[in-house]
Amino acid sequence: RRSLGLLFLLAATGCALLVPFNDLIGRAPVLASLASWPLRTFIHTVLLFVPPAIVLGAITPLIAKIALQSGAPAGRAVGGVFACGVAGSIAGTFATGHIFVFYFPVTVIVVTAAGVMAGLGILALLAARGEAPAAAHSLPVVFDREIEATSADERRRWWTAITTVFISNAAFMLLEMAAARVLGREFGASIYTWTTVIGVVLAGITLGNYLGGRLADRSAGRGVIAAAFLGASVTALMGPAIARWMSGMLQDVELFYSLAWPVQITLFMTVAFFWPNLVIGTISPLVVKRTLDAGAAEGRTVGAIYAWGAVGSIFGTFAAGYVLIGWMGSLPLIAATALLLALTALAWAPKGYAAGIWSGVCVLVLLSAWLPIDAAQGIGRALGFRSEVDPARIFETESNYSYIAIRTLDDDPDQREMVLDKLTHSQVDLNDLTDLKYEYEWIYDGVVNKRVPAGVPLHAMIIGGGGFAYPNYLERTRPGSYIEASEIDPQVTETAFAYFGLPRDTAIQIYNQDARNRIADIIRKMDAGAPPDFVPFDFIFGDSINDYSVPQHLTTVEFARQIHRLLADDGVYLLNMIDMFDSGGFLSAVCHTNAQVFPHVYVFNTGRPPDVRDTFVVVSAKQPLDLHDLAPRIREHYPFAGNLIDPAAIDALIQRHGGILLTDRYTPVENLLKPVARTRGRDPGEARLARAERLAIDGDIPEAIAACREALEIRPLWPEALRLLGRLLAAESDLEGALTALRRAAELSPEPADIEYDIADTLLDAGRAEEAAAVLDGIITRFPDHADALQRRAVLAMAAQDYAGAVVLLQRATTANPKAATAFYNLGLAEAARKDLPAAIAAWEAALGLVPDYADCLHNLALAYTATRDFDAAWTAVAQLQELGEAPDPALLQTLQQQSGRQQ
């Protein structure tokens, strides 16, 4: 107990010194001079945390020694101590992640923890008063026997024990890292995801330690240990299939989506990945008991096995985080971990038939999860070890940071989006890389154009690359500019090069590192008297925040001061962020924090109702900006529904939340975003809307309408639900009801053009062509490049025999969307109606170039070629029709044969 008290006091001292040592190490000249931030981070972390961790790590074996000396059965004593230790880890993880970081700065948390340990140390010393000193004794333990090499069997037994716990602990960390990625695809990567993953894994280990201790007192034979490894392998391999099943099954379970967001994640994680960790947790007590039964000394045996288990955990963590996930992906890693556990079971099993067969199964599953061949991919999908088929997905991979996918939009291969984990981060039109897709980009562009005339070069920094849509836009629209972007994930950058239209010879300076590290490098050069020639910046754009995971160190007042130093005297810092105005905790904190550094702070929304998630752009400037007319100016070019928020409303929001100041030691951003996370977690309204969409796909329109109405009862002002309801009512021929729903959706939507197009369609179905034309004219007036509206309006013009007007409209439609084959086809019809056959042929050939099996185009081309006496081309068109299985018009064939003088 004296030793225990001294260890607690030493650990308390080490933890209390964490905060000042963190600052001291961070300013150490040797570390500051390192160019490699990953190496600097690693060394900094080791120097800061390893010493107190060593002391804390010594406590558990000492307590296990005390427990063993108490006379309790060895297995139960060791298992109970291990279980209680891990249970404490769970309590610390959840208490800190969900409570403490919201209410207290990190300094207070660390110092309080140190105080608790100091109190425990004092209590232990008081309890040890009068305790006789431990008698000195020789060390007839495994270490001494190993050194003396007196017994090959003892050495073999020792190495078998430490190798076994090394593998078991490495396995549960590999599973933990991989499970976090699997959950990230379903729930996004956030503090809630990581807290839950760690907590559920540790809960499994805790219960496993306890059960393993009780089991060890009954039997710790080879067969029992082999069975534990085999059970862990089986349950690990089942995890992805269970996760896939839950993801599909829970789509219709409204009760699940009515639960709090962290509870949803916890239930999902528990059902899918709790069980292998529970079984793995039984292994260490079994190995300890087996080694003690062989005559090994208690304290050193428990300490060494516990230590080697921790080394295995460290190895698993680094192997997964730095190598394996990026190399093979999270799902194949689970299969590989199951194989590792199965092979270990095979090594332990007295008779290895079952373990051998199961190892073969694991090999096959691993190959199906990893091999890039069609047969393996089909089996892998069926087992839950590959992503489900998505015709829109053209690329997917996993990096050390996230799951990355590229998807096409609206069946157009040139319209693409980049998905990181669960969220879409960028969209781009490869035909027009200057076509900005996101509202916050429109705000960025509006502010830039206010400050610097169009086309004039500027100096800009973008924090967060993603698909590099906005940096690429700046480079193209402002040639000669200095533009740099910090994107922490090099695989995201590579994906942008390969699939998102970012040229490899771009002049954008790309830094694959954390933005704060990049800014620290610049400031260090400035402090050394050699500022780079691109400083100061005219603009710094923050584009690294979403509502699942927030890089909190990029939101603090210390970071804002660094931004301020890099900006020109009239420089502007624009930060894109997510929140709900009604709750507004994060928005208020960001505004209040930036206002401590910048004298002028403005906020734009994007027009969503205050009770739903919205995108905000916080504009922080050194000089006053006149932005009152910016929203109307944006609306001249884009379907923008946002506005500049009244400063008084922002002040009231800050006051309502108590003026939260974000600092490097107090950044409870995830807690501030809890209301938004809950909406992302699929509230009951979203669950009902998703059910309505699935029912509509299945053709059950009445039930889909009912589900849609239920969603609107929960959220009456929901444009997406109103639009779907309108479409469903139109399908049921309730055209008046459809029009009412669609018009309300258009009023509420920040992007009403497509909904108004649905209104025009519905009016046409109702035979109200004049009203439809008026609606389409309104869309075209506000959005001159709306290709669908242009084309539909042209069809109405042709119906009214206004062929010249139709040609003008269709020419605009094909310019707005050069991939629209139907627009070229209709243009050909309009030109033919005007008797301009060469122009009609050119339009139909263009449509055929886009859709080679366009039968109507081939038929019309055959007619036009015949009329212009280009008989060879006419026969070619006929042959192409026949190759498609289409029968040419007999009258066309007869005319062509007569005029060309040849038979088919």
Side-chain angles (χ1 to χ4, degrees), residues 333-465:
L333 177 57
I334 292 174
T337 305
L339 175 59
L340 173 66
L341 292 166
L343 292 174
T344 309
L346 181 62
W348 272 97
K351 295 180 180 180
Y353 302 124
I357 294 171
W358 181 252
S359 297
V361 171
C362 291
V363 169
L364 294 176
V365 173
L366 176 59
L367 294 177
S368 73
W370 201 16
L371 286 181
I373 59 177
D374 292 341
Q377 291 175 1
I379 297 171
R381 290 191 189 96
L383 296 175
F385 280 89
R386 287 185 187 266
S387 301
E388 293 184 279
V389 175
D390 181 357
R393 187 177 57 239
I394 60 176
F395 173 77
E396 67 174 338
T397 189
E398 280 191 82
S399 71
N400 290 335
Y401 293 90
S402 63
Y403 166 80
I404 305 167
I406 300 295
R407 300 178 73 258
T408 60
L409 301 172
D410 302 324
D411 298 324
D412 184 347
D414 292 331
Q415 301 283 336
R416 296 180 177 179
E417 66 178 5
M418 177 181 285
V419 178
L420 302 182
D421 285 326
K422 186 180 175 65
L423 296 179
T424 299
H425 278 247
S426 298
Q427 290 185 355
V428 70
D429 179 358
L430 295 184
N431 294 311
D432 184 2
L433 295 171
T434 63
D435 180 14
L436 298 176
K437 298 295 185 181
Y438 282 111
E439 294 143 311
Y440 77 86
E441 295 172 330
W442 305 341
I443 299 171
Y444 282 1
D445 198 46
V447 174
V448 169
N449 289 331
K450 267 273 192 178
R451 161 90 162 67
V452 181
V456 175
L458 47 79
H459 284 181
M461 170 187 281
I462 292 89
I463 298 171

Side-chain angles (χ1 to χ4, degrees), residues 92-287:
T93 299
F94 277 96
T96 303
H98 289 292
I99 301 173
F100 294 158
V101 295
F102 180 63
Y103 291 106
F104 307 109
V106 66
T107 306
V108 173
I109 297 171
V110 171
V111 171
T112 301
V116 170
M117 283 186 283
L120 290 171
I122 293 170
L123 289 175
L125 290 175
L126 291 174
R129 286 184 303 175
E131 182 182 58
H137 59 277
S138 60
L139 302 174
V141 294
V142 171
F143 289 98
D144 298 319
R145 294 171 184 172
E146 182 182 350
I147 294 170
E148 296 168 7
T150 58
S151 169
D153 286 343
E154 288 173 353
R155 290 198 304 273
R156 178 182 54 79
R157 189 180 301 116
W158 175 250
W159 284 107
T160 299
I162 62 175
T163 302
T164 300
V165 295
F166 178 93
I167 291 173
S168 67
N169 282 264
F172 90 72
M173 285 308 305
L174 292 171
L175 288 174
E176 177 178 316
M177 300 290 283
R181 281 298 182 82
V182 174
L183 249 68
R185 297 193 196 184
E186 187 70 26
F187 297 99
S190 70
I191 191 173
Y192 304 112
T193 307
W194 276 107
T195 299
T196 300
V197 168
I198 294 170
V200 170
V201 167
L202 291 179
I205 297 297
T206 299
L207 185 56
N209 285 164
Y210 174 75
L211 296 176
R214 299 185 72 87
L215 180 62
D217 288 328
R218 294 171 177 262
S219 173
R222 295 179 61 89
V224 176
I225 295 176
F229 273 104
L230 189 61
S233 177
V234 172
T235 51
L237 207 63
M238 292 170 58
I242 294 174
R244 174 74 59 80
W245 169 77
M246 288 187 66
S247 180
M249 182 271 292
L250 292 174
Q251 295 289 333
D252 293 321
V253 180
E254 297 176 6
L255 176 62
F256 178 77
Y257 291 110
S258 68
L259 299 173
W261 179 239
V263 176
Q264 293 180 30
I265 303 174
T266 301
L267 288 176
F268 194 97
M269 176 68 187
T270 300
V271 174
F273 294 105
F274 172 81
W275 314 108
N277 293 290
L278 181 148
V279 184
I280 289 172
T282 66
I283 293 171
S284 290
L286 288 169
V287 173

Side-chain angles (χ1 to χ4, degrees), residues 501-838:
L502 180 66
R504 292 191 178 273
D505 61 352
T506 178
I508 300 169
Q509 300 298 306
I510 298 174
Y511 296 88
N512 289 130
Q513 65 180 112
D514 185 273
R516 188 151 178 180
N517 296 161
R518 168 60 185 160
I519 289 174
D521 287 339
I522 298 174
I523 290 176
R524 186 166 63 245
K525 292 178 181 178
M526 294 170 62
D527 291 340
D533 57 10
F534 52 79
V535 176
F537 289 100
D538 301 303
F539 296 93
I540 296 179
F541 302 94
D543 190 13
S544 61
I545 295 175
N546 62 62
D547 54 339
Y548 277 126
S549 58
V550 177
Q552 57 190 36
H553 60 297
L554 304 184
T555 65
T556 66
V557 69
E558 292 87 348
F559 182 65
R561 293 187 185 116
Q562 292 178 336
I563 292 286
H564 190 275
R565 284 194 63 183
L566 298 188
L567 285 171
D569 290 340
D570 56 353
V572 182
Y573 171 41
L574 299 97
L575 176 64
N576 163 42
M577 56 167 291
I578 305 290
D579 204 345
M580 295 191 305
F581 195 81
D582 271 1
S583 55
F586 184 38
L587 176 63
S588 70
V590 168
C591 293
H592 183 61
T593 299
N594 284 10
Q596 310 307 304
V597 179
F598 292 90
H600 308 282
V601 176
Y602 313 87
V603 183
F604 284 87
N605 63 20
T606 54
R608 272 72 176 178
D611 63 337
V612 301
R613 66 184 298 276
D614 197 359
T615 300
F616 299 89
V617 175
V618 179
V619 182
S620 304
K622 291 185 173 182
Q623 303 294 333
L625 299 173
D626 182 9
L627 301 178
H628 73 280
D629 63 340
L630 188 66
R633 292 177 61 176
I634 295 173
R635 279 190 274 275
E636 294 174 5
H637 305 282
Y638 301 103
F640 181 63
N643 285 290
L644 177 66
I645 299 178
D646 186 346
I650 296 297
D651 291 340
L653 189 67
I654 293 172
Q655 185 176 3
R656 174 153 56 92
H657 286 278
I660 296 173
L661 181 67
L662 302 176
T663 71
D664 283 349
R665 293 181 180 173
Y666 181 65
T667 48
V669 291
E670 286 90 353
N671 302 78
L672 294 172
L673 283 169
K674 271 187 178 180
V676 184
R678 292 192 186 101
T679 66
R680 275 294 196 183
R682 292 276 303 281
D683 62 22
E686 289 177 330
R688 286 170 171 84
L689 182 61
R691 182 169 180 268
E693 291 168 344
R694 290 194 302 277
L695 289 167
I697 293 172
D698 294 339
D700 191 348
I701 304 302
E703 285 297 319
I705 291 173
C708 209
R709 292 191 189 280
E710 290 173 0
L712 286 166
E713 287 177 5
I714 296 170
R715 290 171 57 182
L717 306 179
W718 196 354
E720 291 84 355
L722 286 163
R723 184 183 185 187
L724 178 59
L725 178 62
R727 289 178 165 182
L728 294 170
L729 291 172
E732 288 288 275
S733 300
D734 182 0
L735 299 182
E736 288 303 323
L739 288 170
T740 299
L742 289 170
R743 284 168 175 153
R744 184 58 174 151
E747 292 173 3
L748 296 170
S749 174
E751 299 180 10
D754 290 339
I755 302 175
E756 291 174 1
Y757 182 79
D758 290 343
I759 293 173
D761 260 352
T762 306
L763 288 168
L764 287 173
D765 290 341
R768 295 153 64 176
E770 290 185 5
E771 293 179 62
V775 172
L776 292 168
D777 287 339
I779 298 173
I780 294 168
T781 299
R782 287 178 290 119
F783 312 115
D785 294 331
H786 198 292
D788 290 339
L790 288 164
Q791 185 178 174
R792 182 56 59 91
R793 185 64 182 88
V795 171
L796 290 176
M798 284 194 288
Q801 299 184 354
D802 180 9
Y803 301 116
V807 166
V808 172
L809 290 166
L810 288 166
Q811 287 173 340
R812 288 173 59 186
T814 55
T815 300
N817 183 7
K819 301 292 186 180
T822 56
F824 283 104
Y825 173 74
N826 286 324
L827 177 58
L829 293 178
E831 295 285 17
R834 293 203 316 168
K835 311 299 183 185
D836 189 347
L837 289 182

